[in-house]
Amino acid sequence: MKRALLGAVIACLVTACATTTSPTGRKQYVGAVSQDQLNQLGAQAFADAKSKQKVSNDAHKNAYVRCVVDAITRELPAGWQTQWEVALFEDSSPNAFALPGGKVGVNTGIFTVAKNQDQLAAVIGHEIGHVVSRHHDERITKQQGTSTLLGIGSAILGSAYGSGVGNAAGQLGGAAAQTFYLLPNSRTQESEADVVGQQLAAKAGFDPRQAVNLWENMLAVGGSRPPQWLSTHPDPQSRISELNARASSLMPTFEQARAAGHTPKCG
């Protein structure tokens, strides 16, 4: 933890990054790359995923996912409400991701655990929560700081899966983009995405209590080992308790959203 913090501080010194506050009030070190560069990385990662995986042509399922994404993104802060691109991949693993630049990828396997629109909203809200909380920027900044400590000044993203990543300003190839979205999140970021995602879902008119049901379904499928999508999350039972407690506090938000006409009918 100390090394990661030191790395972030060094990254700030060499890249003039900023100290900012996340949506939950947590201090962040960000700015190793610009927002335009982040968006470019996100676009390339998304294009890379679509070129390597089979994209579903199922009109009903695509419309279902699109409906949930649109409902969630309408509740985003100003500046984040651009048209988000969505891709549904033919993949049996229960997985999803979101990227800077307005990209959302969902595997068809997610429907085995997200049994209704509220549970799918919990997944998508969580992933979009990573983007609006600037977790990708934060991870790159920390990674650049670690690389600086190791004397590898050109490495910005590291190699979570064995693919080296060059300077984001000039080397934004497919391998770099792929590594960009595959880098693991920290438990702090995962917990924060839970908070932001559950809030977004409630504001959009999705039942925040269904996030608990989603996690219970995930555990039932994964047994003692949850799917990779959730591998860095805190202890499952503690997380379920936190989701449940937060759902209770979000019920007024959910009810107000419904009273205001936010009644998604996605599927």
Side-chain angles (χ1 to χ4, degrees):
M1 185 68 180
K2 290 182 178 179
R3 181 173 179 175
L5 178 60
L6 179 58
V9 172
I10 291 178
C12 285
L13 292 174
V14 300
T15 63
C17 75
T19 301
T20 188
T21 302
S22 76
T24 64
R26 180 176 60 87
K27 180 183 291 186
Q28 294 175 294
Y29 294 101
V30 297
V33 293
S34 70
Q35 188 61 50
D36 285 345
Q37 289 169 334
L38 281 171
N39 292 347
Q40 186 178 356
L41 277 169
Q44 288 194 257
F46 202 60
D48 187 55
K50 290 190 293 183
S51 71
K52 293 180 178 179
Q53 301 180 59
K54 183 179 179 180
V55 177
S56 172
N57 292 319
D58 187 308
H60 176 73
K61 290 180 180 178
N62 273 280
Y64 176 33
V65 174
R66 174 87 258 175
C67 177
V68 174
V69 171
D70 285 348
I72 292 287
T73 55
R74 277 195 293 268
E75 302 307 317
L76 294 177
W80 294 99
Q81 296 179 357
T82 56
Q83 180 66 31
W84 286 64
E85 184 180 357
V86 179
L88 179 63
F89 298 105
E90 291 283 0
D91 190 318
S92 61
S93 61
N95 197 13
F97 64 87
L99 299 168
K103 313 295 181 184
V104 175
V106 177
N107 289 355
T108 53
I110 205 69
F111 302 129
T112 63
V113 292
K115 305 291 189 179
N116 55 46
Q117 66 172 12
D118 301 289
Q119 293 175 19
L120 182 59
V123 174
I124 291 173
H126 171 97
E127 293 303 327
I128 291 176
H130 280 303
V131 176
V132 298
S133 299
R134 303 185 69 177
H135 290 165
H136 300 84
D137 191 350
E138 186 177 28
R139 283 153 53 199
I140 291 172
T141 301
K142 286 184 178 180
Q143 187 66 22
Q144 178 157 353
T146 301
S147 297
T148 302
L149 287 172
L150 296 174
I152 310 174
S154 65
I156 283 190
L157 300 184
S159 62
Y161 289 84
S163 298
V165 182
N167 190 290
Q171 299 179 31
L172 299 173
Q178 184 179 24
T179 303
F180 172 68
Y181 77 81
L182 289 176
L183 275 171
N185 300 305
S186 70
R187 288 190 176 187
T188 296
Q189 290 175 337
E190 290 293 346
S191 295
E192 188 165 61
D194 278 348
V195 173
V196 175
Q198 205 172 10
Q199 290 173 343
L200 285 171
K203 289 178 180 179
F206 295 105
D207 189 341
R209 296 169 296 188
Q210 288 291 317
V212 175
N213 301 99
L214 169 73
W215 235 99
E216 291 172 341
N217 294 343
M218 281 282 193
L219 292 181
V221 169
S224 61
R225 296 181 61 187
Q228 184 178 2
W229 178 68
L230 300 172
S231 61
T232 56
H233 280 274
D235 173 74
Q237 296 305 323
S238 296
R239 181 167 180 262
I240 286 175
S241 296
E242 290 172 4
L243 287 167
N244 193 43
R246 193 160 50 243
S248 297
S249 68
L250 285 171
M251 287 307 293
T253 300
F254 168 62
E255 291 164 359
Q256 289 169 11
R258 286 300 182 102
H262 296 290
T263 55
K265 294 180 176 62
C266 297

